[in-house]
Amino acid sequence: MKIQKNIFKCKNPSFAAMTTTDKAALCKVGARMAELRIERNMTQQQLAEAMGVKLEWVQRLETGELNFMVSSLGKLARAFHMRIADMFPPDF
């Protein structure tokens, strides 16, 4: 399946303590999360259920409106049945 790049627009969160680089990284992680979800033919609701979180939480992560915690990456990796390190290419 070919994945369309940048299908979700990052809303550029305005977290006061975040640098522009940090904001860009957050948006990039959210876009990768959406890409992995779509590759697995999962809806946002299905991913939310697999992670044990609310649908709004998944939506906000994918659009960069919500900051990730390391524990969130663990939940995401488990939902995708993969290791955190395997979620991101080496040049990520």
Side-chain angles (χ1 to χ4, degrees):
M1 171 191 291
K2 186 175 180 179
I3 304 297
Q4 179 184 351
K5 296 292 181 186
N6 299 320
I7 58 172
F8 293 98
K9 290 192 178 201
C10 186
K11 297 190 178 180
N12 290 321
S14 59
F15 299 114
M18 292 181 77
T19 66
T20 302
T21 302
D22 291 340
K23 291 177 190 178
L26 185 61
C27 291
K28 193 172 180 181
V29 169
R32 179 65 177 149
M33 176 180 158
E35 182 178 36
L36 288 168
R37 176 181 58 76
I38 292 167
E39 285 175 357
R40 286 159 178 74
N41 295 313
M42 295 176 80
T43 65
Q44 288 179 327
Q45 182 64 47
Q46 289 169 327
L47 179 57
E49 290 170 6
M51 292 178 70
V53 299
K54 293 181 180 182
L55 172 61
E56 179 187 21
W57 193 84
V58 169
Q59 293 168 331
R60 292 182 68 206
L61 285 175
E62 286 188 359
T63 58
E65 291 180 77
L66 191 63
N67 199 350
F68 271 92
M69 301 204 44
V70 174
S71 60
S72 301
L73 289 176
K75 287 180 184 181
L76 187 59
R78 283 189 295 282
F80 289 145
H81 304 287
M82 60 193 315
R83 298 176 328 134
I84 293 172
D86 295 333
M87 290 173 43
F88 305 102
D91 63 340
F92 192 77

